[in-house]
Amino acid sequence: MSTSPPLKSGSLRRRTIVAVVALVALLLVVLAVVVDVALGARLRGQIEERLRDRAAAAASLVGTVDDADLAERLSYQGLAVRIDSAGGDSVVAGPSPDQLRDGPPGGPGGPGAGPADRSTPQPTASSDVSVVASEVAGDDDLVTLRSTLSDGSTLTLTASAAGIGDTLAQVRWIMAVSSVGVLVLAAGAVTLVVRRSLRPLDQVSQVARAIGSGERERRLHPTRSDTEIGRVATALDDMLDDVVGAEQAALDAEQRLRAFLSDAAHELRTPVAGIRAAADTLVRADLDGPEREVLAAHVAREAARASRLVDDLLTMARVDRGLELSCSDLDLRALVEAEVERAPLVHPSLRLEVRAPDAAVPVHADADRLAQVLSNLLENAARATGGTGTVIVALAVHGAAAVVSVTDDGPGVPAADRERIFERLVRLDTARAASGGVGLGLPIARGIARAHGGDVRCVDSERGARFEVTLPLAS
């Protein structure tokens, strides 16, 4: 037998809080990485832009200012400067690249000075020299701009990028401290929100415990059934309704069983008491002649009654358990006529009429069980009419079903009792005469008919009582 895997019952509140805080922490890490990369690229881009501005300003002075003087002016800004003229001469000024790796030189002439600083070369005359091409190179500590001028000379400017690392380190510390604070606040806020959001689940558990302790009428009644908690609450309410209904049905079934056993014991006690009394008299008294025959007949009659009741109880038990039918194709018309022909043997004063079609009515059924259904209905009609009435047995076909009706001219059945008479050991008359039934014939007839896929019902009739047996036709 397959079993479902065990339900994971860890704390939903804890798992939700941990998941949300972990998600926030991941987002903060992603944000820190993005800020670090973007800010580093932005700061490096600013250095490159400043070097391009210095190169463009220096190009405008080429030819009007001596290369050595121009290089000296550019070096005032903390740059390593190299000017290679078209004739092959080279001029170098400012700190070397190795010195710049240790950090930019301090003072107002550092690399952070703006273009309007007093050390920035300013054009003193018109020049036709311009920057033709530029190439940026470098590493984490240096940024080098190599510019080719229109006169064939080359200007190389190198600036320190060590300040970028310091700035990014400060930003990282700020982001780390801020992230810790955000995580603490997020954990507190998520805890409050989750606790409030999961409060309905606490209500569900409280109601479940209350119902388990005996308060069967308690229900959740969710305001919305299209949400997760609403669906759970609706399913729980439906389950509780089914459980309470099943519990009530079980109690009713137990009550009916007790009543059935009580009535069965009462019905059996009457013939058994008669048999015992007659047997005691036969044993103890010295009887002969007619008196002995009367007692013997009484014993036989009561024994037959008890035997019939036991047989009916066994048949009812088989109906409840599920009848084992021996079905075959048969003509329902012939079966009805045969049962009507046998009825006068038991009730010779009963007048019977048969109304059936000329053609055969094929059904796939158990002939013995169907004969028992018709026999029970005819026996019921005979009791209702005192054995001297008129009973009409009609057979008709309606669609895919065959309908056998048994109508008597007795007192009839009130509309309110037409379903109750199919309950076990129920009789509308209060007398429990020896010749009367015990109230199992109709339940047995209905059980057999339903086992065949049909039914037995008590319907309206112009006179007396009318019972209809419905059976599916053979395909």
Side-chain angles (χ1 to χ4, degrees):
M1 182 178 64
S2 60
T3 58
S4 58
L7 179 65
K8 295 182 179 180
S9 56
S11 174
L12 181 60
R13 181 182 290 111
R14 185 181 300 109
R15 283 189 292 175
T16 303
I17 293 174
V18 171
V20 173
V21 172
L23 179 60
V24 172
L26 178 61
L27 293 177
L28 290 175
V29 170
V30 173
L31 177 62
V33 173
V34 171
V35 169
D36 187 83
V37 174
L39 182 59
R42 178 59 180 165
L43 293 176
R44 194 174 184 87
Q46 289 179 352
I47 294 177
E48 294 176 2
E49 289 296 328
R50 291 193 181 103
L51 291 179
R52 293 180 189 276
D53 291 342
R54 270 56 168 185
S60 64
L61 296 177
V62 173
T64 60
V65 178
D66 182 72
D67 289 347
D69 187 21
L70 179 59
E72 188 68 23
R73 291 187 182 185
L74 291 172
S75 66
Y76 289 159
Q77 303 172 42
L79 303 177
V81 183
R82 179 186 178 90
I83 300 176
D84 297 317
S85 64
D89 297 331
S90 298
V91 177
V92 178
S96 66
D98 293 335
Q99 293 174 337
L100 290 178
R101 288 185 183 277
D102 297 332
D117 188 78
R118 60 183 178 86
S119 299
T120 302
Q122 299 294 329
T124 59
S126 170
S127 175
D128 295 334
V129 180
S130 62
V131 177
V132 176
S134 296
E135 179 183 357
V136 178
D139 51 26
D140 293 340
D141 298 326
L142 296 177
V143 178
T144 300
L145 177 67
R146 183 180 179 85
S147 301
T148 302
L149 306 183
S150 59
D151 65 347
S153 61
T154 301
L155 175 62
T156 302
L157 301 178
T158 302
S160 173
I164 296 177
D166 297 338
T167 302
L168 292 179
Q170 295 178 1
V171 172
R172 288 168 188 152
W173 275 106
I174 294 174
M175 290 292 295
V177 174
S178 300
S179 298
V180 172
V182 170
L183 285 177
V184 172
L185 293 177
V190 169
T191 300
L192 294 177
V193 172
V194 170
R195 181 175 300 173
R196 184 177 181 86
S197 300
L198 298 182
R199 190 173 299 168
L201 292 181
D202 296 334
Q203 184 179 358
V204 171
S205 62
Q206 292 174 1
V207 171
R209 292 191 183 95
I211 293 173
S213 62
E215 300 181 22
R216 298 291 192 267
E217 73 283 353
R218 291 285 297 274
R219 294 295 183 274
L220 293 170
H221 302 299
T223 57
R224 293 182 58 183
S225 60
D226 57 343
T227 61
E228 293 81 0
I229 296 179
R231 286 192 292 269
V232 172
T234 301
L236 183 59
D237 283 350
D238 294 341
M239 181 192 69
L240 292 174
D241 291 338
D242 294 340
V243 169
V244 172
E247 182 182 18
Q248 186 61 41
L251 293 176
D252 294 341
E254 182 181 0
Q255 186 65 27
R256 289 194 300 269
L257 178 60
R258 290 178 179 177
F260 175 76
L261 294 176
S262 176
D263 290 342
H266 179 83
E267 293 293 342
L268 281 173
R269 183 175 58 185
T270 300
V272 169
I275 294 173
R276 180 178 180 181
D280 288 344
T281 303
L282 287 173
V283 171
R284 295 180 181 181
D286 186 12
L287 299 177
D288 196 6
E291 294 181 354
R292 186 177 183 85
E293 293 180 0
V294 169
L295 288 177
H298 179 73
V299 170
R301 185 171 58 252
E302 293 299 326
R305 180 183 176 187
S307 176
R308 185 172 64 251
L309 176 59
V310 171
D311 290 341
D312 288 343
L313 291 175
L314 290 176
T315 303
M316 198 71 247
R318 293 191 185 100
V319 169
D320 292 339
R321 187 174 62 250
L323 285 174
E324 296 180 1
L325 303 177
S326 299
C327 296
S328 61
D329 293 332
L330 54 90
D331 182 8
L332 185 59
R333 178 175 178 272
L335 181 65
V336 169
E337 291 177 348
E339 284 302 315
V340 171
E341 290 176 358
R342 278 195 293 267
L345 299 178
V346 181
H347 305 285
S349 300
L350 193 66
R351 295 183 297 275
L352 294 169
E353 296 181 16
V354 179
R355 299 174 184 176
D358 296 332
V361 180
V363 294
H364 187 72
D366 188 326
D368 294 335
R369 292 300 184 184
L370 285 188
Q372 186 178 3
V373 172
L374 296 176
S375 175
N376 286 353
L377 293 180
L378 291 174
E379 183 70 21
N380 182 75
R383 290 197 187 97
T385 60
T388 59
T390 300
V391 178
I392 300 175
V393 181
L395 173 61
V397 175
H398 299 294
V403 178
V404 180
S405 62
V406 179
T407 307
D408 60 57
D409 57 357
V413 180
D417 296 325
R418 287 175 184 169
E419 279 299 318
R420 194 171 69 88
I421 57 176
F422 289 99
E423 297 178 5
R424 304 170 188 180
L425 299 175
V426 171
R427 292 181 299 176
L428 298 184
D429 59 319
T430 56
R432 294 181 181 269
S435 60
V438 295
L440 289 177
L442 291 178
I444 291 174
R446 170 172 277 186
I448 294 174
R450 288 182 173 178
H452 284 84
D455 200 359
V456 176
R457 298 179 301 121
C458 182
V459 298
D460 291 332
S461 177
E462 295 180 357
R463 62 168 188 168
R466 178 186 177 91
F467 292 86
E468 287 187 352
V469 181
T470 305
L471 294 171
L473 292 174
S475 58

